[in-house]
Amino acid sequence: MSRINLVFRSQKATMMESRMTRNCHVRFGERDEETHILKDIKVRFVPTPLSPLLANIGLHGMIREITQRFPKSKTKNKVTINGYRPKIIRYADDFVVFHKELEVILQCKTLISQWLDKVGLTLRPEKTRICHTLNEIYIDGNPSKPGFDFLGFKIRSYPVGKHQSGRTGGRNSEILGFKTIIKASEKAVKAHHQVVKQIIKDHKTAPQVALISRLNPIICGWCNYYSTVVSKEIFSSEDAHLWKLLRAWTASRTGKANYQKLSKYFSNGRHGTWTFQTHEDGGFVLMKHSDTPIIRHTLVRPEASPYDGE
């Protein structure tokens, strides 16, 4: 499966997202087609750790062939537009295609479909979406909400004043009038909820130290993935959600919860009075989502050179 995000941006961005059929996995040996063993029973092989590599092999050369169909610069109304070629970002079989003009995005969609057809792949129309990152637009008469999801992130631009606005960058940097916010997508947050909830459910009768040992790497890994984007509010809300689940877990073991019963599992510690930790076994402490520091990703300056010595 693959998602293609085509983003058209009139100084702001728009995108189209799409997924290819599972033929990509079948064609390059990742998994077989559905195998019918008995009536109404199907067996399907799940993606392997080789999936990204196989997708890279199968889709190698697509970006170069698509972008080279467009000129590097173009003159419109006696103004030369440099960097006119669309920008394509691909991770395995997920794509994002950016451009300032909707017409170019539509051309990219057609070219990508033609290229995929050569290697025996197709786009799934129901998973294909064109949108703008700042404004709502209409595609074939249907409204398309601003922003898009990519690799578990929600990417969207918001109008702001000049003091909060993003800039074009470079020596002649200009104010854009909007700011792009990247955060965890709603789908990713819900998936994390389900994972945490299932772990707590599976450890309903397990020792507290076993539950903490299982939850800590899950929380740590999820938070590290989103630690470079706007995640402070999400981390706080995840801690509140986790508290409710742990309180229910405690009540299921002790009956109706009260302070005395809760104090067996919650005590004064790293996170204050209500720290979920053990009193024995060396004092295992459950980490909170908000323990993870937010460290912004530093963008490379457009005029930077490897010879600058930085």
Side-chain angles (χ1 to χ4, degrees):
M1 299 190 312
S2 173
R3 170 175 297 158
I4 299 180
N5 302 299
L6 297 178
V7 184
F8 131 72
R9 51 180 185 178
S10 52
Q11 293 228 338
K12 304 107 184 177
T14 311
M15 95 172 177
M16 178 199 89
E17 57 181 345
S18 178
R19 289 192 176 186
M20 293 184 295
T21 62
R22 67 174 185 277
N23 293 339
C24 180
H25 305 285
V26 176
R27 183 176 176 81
F28 300 104
E30 177 194 351
R31 65 188 182 198
D32 294 333
E33 299 235 26
E34 292 178 347
T35 302
H36 296 259
I37 298 179
L38 297 174
K39 185 178 181 180
D40 298 329
I41 297 179
K42 299 178 182 179
V43 175
R44 176 183 295 170
F45 293 96
V46 298
T48 70
L50 290 176
S51 297
L53 174 60
L54 295 172
N56 284 330
I57 294 173
L59 301 177
H60 178 70
M62 186 193 72
I63 294 178
R64 182 177 64 255
E65 183 168 332
I66 299 302
T67 55
Q68 287 181 350
R69 296 289 189 94
F70 299 88
K72 292 183 179 180
S73 61
K74 189 171 184 178
T75 302
K76 284 190 174 184
N77 299 324
K78 299 182 179 180
V79 176
T80 300
I81 304 174
N82 295 317
Y84 185 77
R85 285 178 173 174
K87 304 296 187 296
I88 303 178
I89 300 171
R90 179 170 69 87
Y91 176 81
D93 52 357
D94 287 345
F95 308 88
V96 182
V97 182
F98 293 91
H99 201 272
K100 298 179 180 180
E101 299 177 6
L102 179 59
E103 292 76 13
V104 173
I105 289 296
L106 296 174
Q107 291 178 43
C108 285
K109 179 183 176 183
T110 301
L111 292 173
I112 290 173
S113 296
Q114 293 173 353
W115 190 92
L116 292 175
D117 186 59
K118 295 178 183 178
V119 296
L121 303 176
T122 58
L123 293 177
R124 294 176 59 182
E126 68 274 13
K127 293 294 183 179
T128 300
R129 178 171 176 256
I130 298 177
C131 78
H132 198 280
T133 58
L134 180 64
N135 303 315
E136 182 179 72
I137 61 174
Y138 285 83
I139 303 296
D140 297 329
N142 299 316
S144 179
K145 294 182 179 180
F148 64 98
D149 294 350
F150 185 62
L151 300 179
F153 294 95
K154 177 71 175 182
I155 304 171
R156 183 180 173 184
S157 299
Y158 298 87
V160 293
K162 64 178 182 180
H163 298 295
Q164 297 291 329
S165 172
R167 305 183 72 90
T168 56
R171 295 178 179 176
N172 300 318
S173 181
E174 298 178 358
I175 295 176
L176 295 172
F178 63 91
K179 188 171 185 178
T180 301
I181 301 296
I182 304 175
K183 57 184 179 181
S185 66
E186 293 182 5
K187 185 177 180 180
V189 172
K190 290 180 179 179
H192 183 58
H193 283 177
Q194 287 300 115
V195 171
V196 172
K197 183 178 180 179
Q198 188 61 47
I199 291 174
I200 294 177
K201 182 179 180 180
D202 293 342
H203 289 71
K204 192 173 183 179
T205 59
Q208 184 183 17
V209 63
L211 177 60
I212 294 176
S213 299
R214 186 70 182 91
L215 282 175
N216 273 348
I218 299 297
I219 296 173
C220 180
W222 193 83
C223 291
N224 284 339
Y225 186 69
Y226 294 103
S227 63
T228 59
V229 296
V230 181
S231 301
K232 184 176 180 180
E233 290 184 4
I234 291 178
F235 286 174
S236 296
S237 65
E238 289 305 293
D239 286 335
H241 178 74
L242 180 60
W243 153 254
K244 294 177 182 179
L245 294 176
L246 292 175
R247 187 180 183 282
W249 178 86
T250 303
S252 69
R253 301 163 69 91
T254 61
K256 187 175 181 180
N258 57 42
Y259 181 80
Q260 184 177 3
K261 292 178 179 179
L262 291 176
S263 63
K264 181 180 179 181
Y265 302 99
F266 295 90
S267 57
N268 190 41
R270 184 196 306 172
H271 305 130
T273 305
W274 297 102
T275 300
F276 191 75
Q277 60 184 356
T278 63
H279 298 286
E280 304 85 16
D281 303 313
F284 278 74
V285 181
L286 179 67
M287 75 170 293
K288 298 178 69 174
H289 294 76
S290 55
D291 288 342
T292 304
I294 306 297
I295 302 176
R296 299 286 182 235
H297 173 68
T298 302
L299 295 177
V300 178
R301 291 179 291 107
E303 68 272 16
S305 168
Y307 300 104
D308 291 340
E310 299 179 357

